[in-house]
Amino acid sequence: MLAVVCLTACGSPEPAQVGATHRFAVTGGSRTEGPDRIDAATGSAVTIEVTCDATDELHVHGYDKAAPCEPGAPASLTFTADVPGVFEVELHETGPLTQLRVR
């Protein structure tokens, strides 16, 4: 069974906190947990972790960061949010997970 502790409730309109690890769980080809938006200050560290039940690839647009996501092993990306703007965070096969807003 897939289990991930999430920092915010699924579908919450509130942005995730800066400086935390932002976790997502994806089962059956759809997102089941995770924040709708991640807010980050320019220059801050961002960590995104995704647990998938199928092979996929985590990707952050605008930063060209990617990590393979395999069943049973979370994909994790940590990077410095040094480009301001709003960027899509997605799984290539499953689709969008969240937005990263850097200000």
Side-chain angles (χ1 to χ4, degrees):
M1 178 167 213
L2 183 64
V4 171
V5 176
C6 209
L7 296 175
T8 61
C10 181
S12 169
E14 294 298 314
Q17 293 183 352
V18 174
T21 297
H22 308 288
R23 293 182 173 93
F24 298 85
V26 178
T27 58
S30 64
R31 185 182 88 175
T32 57
E33 296 178 0
D36 291 330
R37 186 180 72 227
I38 299 169
D39 282 335
T42 302
S44 66
V46 173
T47 300
I48 301 169
E49 182 179 285
V50 179
T51 303
C52 303
D53 67 347
T55 300
D56 211 327
E57 183 180 61
L58 172 62
H59 182 94
V60 180
H61 287 270
Y63 283 85
D64 292 325
K65 302 289 184 188
C69 191
E70 299 290 334
S76 184
L77 289 174
T78 299
F79 57 96
T80 301
D82 55 3
V83 178
V86 178
F87 307 96
E88 181 111 350
V89 179
E90 70 172 6
L91 291 173
H92 276 201
E93 298 299 320
T94 303
L97 290 175
T98 191
Q99 288 186 330
L100 169 65
R101 183 172 66 178
V102 180
R103 317 191 258 170

